[in-house]
Amino acid sequence: MKDRPCVYVVHHVDTEGPLYEPIEELYDRIEFTLGIQIKIERTYENLVKLRNGEIEEYKEYENELKKIIDPDLIKFNTSWYEVENTIKKVTDQSFREKFKDSKGGFYKYSWFILDHVGFETNLRHRDMGFGNIFRRYIKILGQENLRKDGIYWHFHPVSFYKEAHISKASQIGSVDLFFQILARRLFEFKWFPRVNRAGFHSVRTISNFLLEMYIPFDASNQAIEEENDKQKDNSFGRFGNWYGAPNDWSIYNPDLYDYRKKGMLKRYCSRVLNIKTRFRNINHTEIMKAFHKAESEGVNVYLGVTDHDFRDISKEVEYFYSMLLDVWYEFKNKVDFKFATSLEAFRNVLWPDGSYKNPDNIIKTNIKFMDKNVLRLKTINGKVFGIPFFAIRTVENNYFVDELDPGYEDQEWFYTFDRLTIPLKNIYQVGIAVNDIYGNQNIHIITFDNALLEKHDSYIYTGEYYV
């Protein structure tokens, strides 16, 4: 008997650590968002009046002010103590099991973890440093939750004046940091991304190219039917211009020069809407579209929602789940829904026959040294998505990322260590990570001692990442 079509529900969390916002900065943000000047005393009491439409001068902006100054949106987890309490609450099994899917499965999360690096001004008290948030979450989640959830990639480009409270959509100027974070995570955590969620919901041409080299899945599409032009900071495509991208919950391959168009690139892009923010929110209508697509086309569907770890995730889970159930009751005799990690959902929507698990498809690579100082990487099973990621950690603890030289055979690469690159005597570790189109992964870490003898560790991930 053929399985019924299923809507795979994915809760993406932009995982950024604590966030603090002083009252002055909140008023500045309101002014910038709406393109107005607020000429009243900057107090919390006046915020309430603005939200309630009690100040005549700003009454025309009442609807937008209600969104921006929503009590749940301006209340942040300002310390790691508060973040940890929130995460432990929503990942506790008793909480997860309050929210069952139609098959009896429990709630899951996909943690898209960020590094705050490259900034010089930190008005919002971000936790700065390579790997700081990743390291914290490995500890907070623990083995049990890591086996239930997924850990993925999130990146914020650095603003021109290196202010951590300023959002920048383009990755030009931040490409080196992009590679530095990847290299350090590879060496410290034996981890490399398989799913991306764009910082500030924004993909641009440069990031489109970068993702296509390494990461097969991209949960960033926020296409909706109509944007709100009253929010001036988001007008004219500033943050996440998804105009023209599929808005029917289809997964698509993007175009080389316009990430919104269907094209010939190999990366798969899914649609993800916000939970209770000021724009592009999930609602009954959007959930209905996902279930209707599954029913009418007889296909599995990726339904994505997203929020942040510096807010009360539990309230947002409850809010979203209530809508989800309301819609599902109309389809419960025809369509299932299942909570999934992002990787699980991509796989089950794209390859419902389970071909991603076929041993013949799973990537496996081999490394050996030739002529003592020439590294050879060769695929011996499956096929690399994009190109291999290649990183070097020197004895001085500097990190470099470089490209391998294409070999003589298909799926073969070389790298020569000498004075034109880096001599082997100056290298502590070499790291290589490759993904395949299905999200299977092979990681190699080679460590050298003073005698230039190598210790080679290889890691193959076919499911989620475990420590």
Side-chain angles (χ1 to χ4, degrees):
M1 181 177 176
K2 185 179 177 181
D3 290 339
R4 297 195 304 184
C6 182
V7 174
Y8 284 86
V9 180
V10 185
H11 186 145
H12 312 68
V13 182
D14 289 356
T15 309
E16 304 178 5
L19 181 68
Y20 166 76
E21 184 173 52
I23 187 74
E24 286 290 329
E25 179 63 23
L26 176 54
Y27 273 92
D28 286 346
R29 181 159 63 87
I30 295 169
E31 289 184 331
F32 185 72
T33 299
L34 298 180
I36 61 175
Q37 281 191 318
I38 299 178
K39 301 174 183 178
I40 56 175
E41 187 179 0
R42 297 188 168 197
T43 65
Y44 285 104
E45 291 76 16
N46 280 338
L47 281 178
V48 174
K49 291 179 180 178
L50 285 170
R51 185 170 66 238
N52 295 338
E54 297 173 8
I55 302 178
E56 190 64 32
E57 185 177 353
Y58 308 104
K59 196 168 179 58
E60 66 177 291
Y61 301 98
E62 181 180 352
N63 289 336
E64 298 308 313
L65 287 166
K66 283 182 184 296
K67 299 174 187 176
I68 300 169
I69 318 174
D70 184 305
D72 289 335
L73 287 185
I74 62 174
K75 185 180 186 304
F76 300 116
N77 292 323
T78 60
S79 68
W80 272 114
Y81 175 79
E82 292 176 333
V83 171
E84 185 167 345
N85 283 344
T86 294
I87 303 310
K88 286 187 173 180
K89 176 181 179 181
V90 300
T91 57
D92 186 87
Q93 191 62 21
S94 63
F95 182 87
R96 291 180 188 264
E97 290 182 350
K98 290 179 183 177
F99 310 97
K100 294 286 187 70
D101 58 37
S102 67
K103 297 187 176 186
F106 54 78
Y107 208 86
K108 292 187 176 186
Y109 305 92
S110 294
W111 307 97
F112 288 78
I113 301 181
L114 177 77
D115 281 13
H116 295 293
V117 291
F119 299 102
E120 295 177 356
T121 304
N122 189 16
L123 297 182
R124 294 193 181 179
H125 303 180
R126 303 279 200 177
D127 188 343
M128 299 288 193
F130 289 104
N132 284 15
I133 298 171
F134 200 105
R135 206 173 295 113
R136 284 267 192 175
Y137 265 83
I138 295 298
K139 182 178 179 181
I140 292 171
L141 292 173
Q143 283 284 0
E144 183 179 348
N145 286 315
L146 286 171
R147 292 184 181 276
K148 298 170 184 173
D149 298 336
I151 292 183
Y152 306 115
W153 174 254
H154 193 53
F155 179 74
H156 281 189
V158 177
S159 61
F160 288 116
Y161 296 103
K162 299 183 178 180
E163 300 164 293
H165 63 291
I166 298 298
S167 306
K168 185 173 185 289
S170 169
Q171 290 193 16
I172 288 182
S174 300
V175 172
D176 183 58
L177 284 173
F178 177 93
F179 285 122
Q180 282 284 310
I181 297 168
L182 286 176
R184 290 163 188 261
R185 286 198 193 174
L186 179 60
F187 287 120
E188 181 172 356
F189 304 107
K190 314 298 185 291
W191 181 93
F192 191 75
R194 289 178 279 182
V195 187
N196 168 72
R197 224 197 78 68
F200 310 118
H201 319 291
S202 301
V203 175
R204 294 290 187 272
T205 305
I206 295 299
S207 52
N208 191 31
F209 293 168
L210 286 175
L211 295 171
E212 191 65 19
M213 287 195 291
Y214 303 113
I215 305 177
F217 304 120
D218 187 4
S220 299
N221 176 14
Q222 288 212 314
I224 58 174
E225 292 184 6
E226 186 176 348
E227 286 280 9
N228 187 340
D229 61 2
K230 286 194 173 182
Q231 297 179 12
K232 302 300 182 184
D233 66 328
N234 194 44
S235 59
F236 301 106
R238 166 71 70 83
F239 291 116
N241 184 351
W242 292 98
Y243 179 79
N247 63 13
D248 65 345
W249 298 107
S250 296
I251 291 176
Y252 72 103
N253 302 103
D255 177 75
L256 179 62
Y257 291 106
D258 189 340
Y259 58 90
R260 302 166 299 181
K261 296 178 180 177
K262 294 181 180 180
M264 299 299 290
L265 297 184
K266 293 195 296 182
R267 184 171 88 259
Y268 292 103
C269 297
S270 67
R271 187 169 182 247
V272 180
L273 297 180
N274 302 323
I275 306 176
K276 294 187 72 174
T277 64
R278 60 187 174 92
F279 56 65
R280 302 184 197 136
N281 286 311
I282 192 69
N283 54 41
H284 281 87
T285 301
E286 291 293 353
I287 298 172
M288 184 77 71
K289 282 166 62 175
F291 279 90
H292 179 71
K293 180 180 180 66
E295 179 195 19
S296 62
E297 300 179 23
V299 296
N300 294 341
V301 175
Y302 188 120
L303 169 58
V305 295
T306 185
D307 58 7
H308 288 81
D309 64 335
F310 49 67
R311 294 199 174 99
D312 188 347
I313 297 174
S314 65
K315 289 184 179 179
E316 294 171 349
V317 171
E318 292 165 357
Y319 169 80
F320 169 59
Y321 186 72
S322 175
M323 286 194 296
L324 182 64
L325 282 190
D326 283 348
V327 173
W328 176 68
Y329 284 143
E330 298 186 34
F331 294 87
K332 65 180 181 179
N333 295 322
K334 298 177 181 179
V335 179
D336 289 318
F337 78 94
K338 183 175 177 59
F339 294 121
T341 65
S342 184
L343 181 62
E344 290 170 340
F346 270 112
R347 286 171 162 177
N348 283 284
V349 171
L350 293 168
W351 302 285
D353 61 356
S355 56
Y356 65 88
K357 295 184 288 188
N358 186 330
D360 293 336
N361 293 333
I362 294 175
I363 187 72
K364 189 175 182 182
T365 51
N366 175 264
I367 285 180
K368 69 176 183 178
F369 275 87
M370 309 174 69
D371 298 331
K372 295 184 179 180
N373 69 324
V374 178
L375 178 148
R376 175 182 182 260
L377 175 71
K378 174 66 178 174
T379 299
I380 56 177
N381 196 71
K383 191 171 183 179
V384 172
F385 170 86
I387 62 174
F389 179 83
F390 176 72
I392 296 170
R393 183 181 181 185
T394 69
V395 293
E396 295 89 4
N397 208 35
N398 295 318
Y399 296 82
F400 299 96
V401 174
D402 207 350
E403 287 187 67
L404 300 175
D405 302 318
Y408 301 106
E409 303 173 12
D410 185 37
Q411 296 286 294
E412 178 187 53
W413 296 267
F414 294 98
Y415 195 82
T416 303
F417 298 91
D418 57 21
R419 64 185 298 270
L420 300 183
T421 54
I422 300 177
L424 275 175
K425 66 179 182 179
N426 296 333
I427 293 175
Y428 171 55
Q429 286 180 314
V430 169
I432 298 176
V434 295
N435 292 319
D436 64 21
I437 195 69
Y438 305 102
N440 302 305
Q441 185 177 86
N442 201 185
I443 286 175
H444 299 275
I445 304 293
I446 303 172
T447 304
F448 300 91
D449 67 15
N450 291 332
L452 298 184
L453 298 174
E454 61 177 283
K455 177 188 176 186
H456 181 187
D457 297 314
S458 183
Y459 308 86
I460 297 176
Y461 298 119
T462 56
E464 299 293 359
Y465 165 78
Y466 308 131
V467 191

